[in-house]
Amino acid sequence: MEPGDFPPGQQFTEVEIRQVFRAFEKMLGLWNVVLDLPDALPVDRRYDLMVALLDQEFAPMNSGMFVFDFCSGYAPGCELGEYCNCLKSWKEED
């Protein structure tokens, strides 16, 4: 599976994006992989991050768990933008 196998999110309704995302999460769960995204992240952004995940290399796991959270801990450059959980901490340090 590659990112090009998925149509742009704009071609889906919000309901369809949620369905695709849930199915993708179930597939990842079979490999002990979890997507940890902020609850407030809009569904179209979730979809885009999900598709971008296909560019990441990882091996399915038989035990343990691997978590993709898309956050490096460096809020100014975070893929999650204004939805980054670290953003509040970074603003407090300024």
Side-chain angles (χ1 to χ4, degrees), residues 18-83:
R18 289 181 190 280
Q19 290 172 335
V20 171
F21 191 82
R22 276 194 297 270
F24 196 88
E25 278 187 311
K26 285 182 182 180
M27 179 192 68
L28 290 176
L30 296 172
W31 297 331
N32 296 336
V33 176
V34 174
L35 293 178
D36 183 20
L37 298 171
D39 292 336
L41 191 67
V43 294
D44 59 329
R45 295 276 303 275
R46 286 176 178 269
Y47 178 82
D48 291 342
L49 289 171
M50 176 199 77
V51 171
L53 183 65
L54 297 171
D55 283 329
Q56 303 290 321
E57 287 195 29
F58 70 93
M61 301 172 61
N62 293 324
S63 63
M65 183 177 289
F66 190 87
V67 178
F68 281 104
D69 65 3
F70 299 95
C71 184
S72 67
Y74 181 69
C78 183
E79 290 183 71
L80 300 174
E82 66 272 20
Y83 300 99

